[in-house]
Amino acid sequence: MKSLEQNALEYHSHGQPGKIAIQVTKAVGSQADLSLAYSPGVAVPCIEIHKNPAKAYEYTAKGNLVGVITNGTAVLGLGDIGALAGKPVMEGKSVLFKKFAGIDAFDIEIDETDPEKLVDIIAALHPTFGGINLEDIKAPECFFIEHHLRDRLSIPVFHDDQHGTAIVVGAGLLNAVQLTGRDITKLKVVCSGAGAAAMACLDLLLDLGVQRENIFVCDSRGVLTTNRELTKEKRAWAQNTDAKTMSDVMHMADMFLGVSGPGLLKQDDVKKMAAKPIVFALANPEPELRPELVREVAPDAIVATGRSDYPNQINNALCFPYLFRAALDSAATNINQPMKLACVEALAAMARSDEHFGRDYIVPTLLDKRLLTGVTPKIATAAHESGVARKHLNEEEYRAQLEALAKTLL
């Protein structure tokens, strides 16, 4: 029997190497076709776009094209392996855009670690794309890069490692809170990890009702406290406490949020938590504590991981294709917090409406055929209502368009 490693290498090398290719969308079978596709006919849309840049969305692929961009400094669980070694992941992301939302994507791997130079490079590329998905860029540089690109560009810029994780965590938490009968405003949260994903998750938890004073964040040196030297991002989560280790703050915690590393949560920590604990152990590929070990000491726990071989997978692909689909179709200038929250609510509601809803089904599965038509229109409506959409889409009419699109997808 072949190993996963052997199968993966064969998958990526068989036939045409890689996972993506370019498809021509117009007829090029005659001299007349060629004269329209290129010289002299191509000059006509060029002139129209020069007069009115918005015409690029009508005459080019810009309105359905996303740049998946990385410098390879924080690739999956592999770390700083460089831009070239990160290319298979970026190609994979492009596959998911196409499969789940019909969005074309170019993967761009940039050999640059200076954040200011990286911002300049990406900003200079923006005429090509309708949106930019930043991927696998390490913290704290990723905060700087996303912030400055959002300020400079009038197209959506979205760092999926931060916000994609946060959205699916938020949806899962809403349902876990409902299933365990908790009041989210009284939830005590212990977070292991203080990187990009953690910070985005925590910011979103505040928007959902969790109180900042009830959140205890730990990095590799222990609890973030006011008597420690911390970066700006970490200072926002420092607590005035004498606690030093994660175990020190686990007493009666309602939720553990792990976005850190393997094995960092112990069974003794879970024993200290409140009844019916909520444990999101999202380190990948090996979680902070495996679900079966959580359940050994807390049989009534609700457990989520980042893995596909356990229930409740917190997978960014549950949201990023639909966020970009809605943003592109509504010509949104950015993906803002109301759009993210609309995605959270839509994902949570979709799981609740499923007959499998329960402690092992708090978020939809990745292959749920309802996602494109159930989530995307809610995001587009939020874009319009929050003022970032340049094109208003009637929700019901848009849902019908998406149903037609869904029939054409892989």
Side-chain angles (χ1 to χ4, degrees):
M1 183 175 181
K2 293 180 181 178
S3 68
L4 172 65
E5 290 77 11
Q6 290 173 312
N7 284 328
L9 292 175
E10 288 184 10
Y11 176 90
H12 283 82
S13 63
H14 179 72
Q16 181 173 319
K19 299 189 287 286
I20 57 176
I22 292 175
Q23 178 180 339
V24 177
T25 62
K26 299 293 189 293
V28 286
S30 68
Q31 191 63 42
D33 291 337
L34 291 172
S35 71
L36 295 174
Y38 202 55
S39 182
V42 75
V44 180
C46 290
I47 293 168
E48 292 299 309
I49 293 168
H50 180 67
K51 291 190 292 188
N52 179 6
K55 289 288 186 178
Y57 287 88
E58 185 175 342
Y59 297 129
T60 77
K62 179 181 175 75
N64 194 50
L65 188 60
V66 168
V68 179
I69 300 178
T70 191
N71 66 354
T73 53
V75 179
L76 291 177
L78 303 174
D80 186 355
I81 61 173
L84 180 59
K87 184 172 174 62
V89 180
M90 302 310 116
E91 287 189 0
K93 196 66 174 284
S94 300
V95 169
L96 298 181
F97 268 117
K98 187 68 172 180
K99 174 174 176 57
F100 294 126
I103 295 171
D104 295 317
F106 289 165
D107 66 292
I108 299 180
E109 295 75 32
I110 301 175
D111 189 13
E112 180 57 71
T113 56
D114 183 301
E116 292 186 2
K117 290 181 180 178
L118 197 57
V119 167
D120 287 339
I121 293 167
I122 297 170
L125 292 169
H126 90 273
T128 304
F129 302 111
I132 291 173
N133 184 103
L134 301 173
E135 189 82 7
D136 292 352
I137 301 172
K138 72 182 179 72
E141 289 88 340
C142 61
F143 303 119
F144 175 93
I145 292 164
E146 184 188 39
H147 172 74
H148 283 272
L149 285 173
R150 285 171 64 94
D151 282 349
R152 286 175 62 169
L153 303 181
S154 59
I155 60 173
V157 177
F158 185 80
H159 186 209
D160 185 48
D161 299 318
Q162 294 183 58
H163 310 298
T165 303
I167 287 165
V168 186
V169 164
L173 178 60
L174 286 181
N175 284 337
V177 165
Q178 176 175 318
L179 287 167
T180 58
R182 286 178 160 91
D183 178 350
I184 199 167
T185 64
K186 298 177 181 177
L187 209 69
K188 179 181 177 181
V189 176
V190 175
C191 178
S192 175
M199 296 302 176
C201 288
L202 296 174
D203 284 336
L204 189 64
L205 293 190
L206 294 182
D207 284 336
L208 295 178
V210 180
Q211 302 301 299
R212 186 181 292 269
E213 61 267 23
N214 294 334
I215 298 175
F216 295 84
V217 185
C218 307
D219 64 8
S220 59
R221 293 175 52 205
V223 181
L224 302 188
T225 65
T226 52
N227 56 16
R228 282 182 55 186
E229 293 276 339
L230 299 169
T231 63
K232 175 185 174 184
E233 290 80 17
K234 290 183 180 182
R235 275 201 307 274
W237 300 100
Q239 294 278 22
N240 184 16
T241 176
D242 293 329
K244 290 183 171 55
T245 69
M246 189 173 76
S247 291
D248 293 339
V249 293
M250 289 296 293
H251 179 67
M252 292 304 291
D254 297 288
M255 179 192 192
F256 170 81
L257 173 60
V259 273
S260 49
L264 293 180
L265 180 67
K266 308 302 181 187
Q267 286 184 316
D268 284 344
D269 297 324
V270 177
K271 290 178 182 178
K272 296 177 182 179
M273 297 179 71
K276 299 180 182 178
I278 301 166
V279 178
F280 283 20
L282 307 183
N284 230 341
E286 184 61 34
E288 286 81 1
L289 185 65
R290 289 223 175 197
E292 60 269 23
L293 298 178
V294 174
R295 292 263 171 82
E296 278 184 7
V297 294
D300 55 357
I302 292 180
V303 189
T305 72
R307 295 172 58 120
S308 60
D309 54 349
Y310 286 108
N312 299 327
Q313 184 189 21
I314 303 299
N315 191 319
N316 296 1
L318 284 170
C319 65
F320 71 78
Y322 316 111
L323 282 161
F324 273 97
R325 181 75 276 162
L328 292 171
D329 291 343
S330 64
T333 55
N334 63 75
I335 295 173
N336 62 11
Q337 203 69 358
M339 294 166 71
K340 297 172 197 173
L341 290 170
C343 190
V344 170
E345 295 286 354
L347 288 171
M350 184 170 291
R352 287 196 300 273
S353 69
D354 194 284
E355 62 179 6
H356 299 104
F357 178 61
R359 71 172 190 169
D360 286 333
Y361 193 93
I362 58 173
V363 291
T365 61
L366 199 58
L367 297 176
D368 193 317
K369 296 184 182 299
R370 302 173 297 165
L371 286 163
L372 179 63
T373 56
V375 175
T376 315
K378 301 294 184 184
I379 301 168
T381 296
H384 171 69
E385 292 177 349
S386 62
V388 298
R390 289 172 288 197
K391 180 180 178 182
H392 177 48
L393 301 170
N394 175 275
E395 191 168 315
E396 291 307 314
E397 292 177 1
Y398 184 41
R399 184 174 285 105
Q401 294 172 19
L402 293 170
E403 288 172 354
L405 171 63
K407 296 175 183 177
T408 71
L409 298 181
L410 296 175

